Amino acid sequence: QVQLVESGGRLVQTGDSLRLSCAASGLTFYTWGMGWFRQAPGKEREFVAGISRSGSNTAYGDSVKGRFTISRDNAKNTVYLQMNSLKPEDTAVYYCASSDAGFIGPRQSDFRSWGQGTQVTVTS
């Protein structure tokens, strides 16, 4: 059974940086595409970033391009999301997701397993 556990979310100020982690178990990690999504209060969940099995290909949502970086460590079964220059509009619950077909986004339906989420709050 696939399990994804996010961590690292907390309250920060505008302009701060934060790194989220997602530890995966129950899957052959290096064969899965991984992604990050987020959902703000009252809004639909949206694609943030995705990374291919080897880490050689990445994809980003328009609102985070140039500020966020996704990476993975296949030896540690972990995917990361480095978030820089945070803005209040980045406030959301951030979810890690895995795609056994190797997709890296942006369609949510391509991701089979999801974590419980970690809260990121950015104050102005």
Side-chain angles (χ1 to χ4, degrees):
Q1 183 178 354
V2 176
Q3 186 173 17
L4 303 174
V5 180
E6 303 95 335
S7 63
R10 61 182 177 90
L11 177 68
V12 296
Q13 295 184 333
T14 297
D16 283 353
S17 297
L18 195 61
R19 188 176 81 159
L20 304 182
S21 300
C22 171
S25 61
L27 73 166
T28 307
F29 185 71
Y30 66 90
T31 68
W32 288 56
M34 300 297 296
W36 286 97
F37 292 79
R38 68 185 182 186
Q39 187 166 20
K43 296 186 177 180
E44 294 186 352
R45 190 161 56 185
E46 67 170 347
F47 172 71
V48 175
I51 189 165
S52 62
R53 294 157 169 155
S54 66
S56 58
N57 293 318
T58 57
Y60 295 93
D62 289 340
S63 61
V64 305
K65 283 181 181 177
R67 298 188 298 123
F68 290 13
T69 302
I70 188 171
S71 62
R72 65 190 295 163
D73 186 336
N74 287 344
K76 295 183 178 180
N77 285 9
T78 302
V79 62
Y80 305 97
L81 184 67
Q82 177 66 44
M83 305 185 293
N84 298 329
S85 302
L86 283 161
K87 306 173 182 180
E89 49 264 44
D90 294 318
T91 294
V93 177
Y94 284 72
Y95 298 92
C96 173
S98 62
S99 169
D100 59 341
F103 289 108
I104 63 173
R107 294 185 307 184
Q108 298 183 41
S109 60
D110 289 334
F111 291 82
R112 178 186 294 189
S113 300
W114 295 78
Q116 292 300 306
T118 185
Q119 176 71 48
V120 173
T121 303
V122 185
T123 61
S124 57

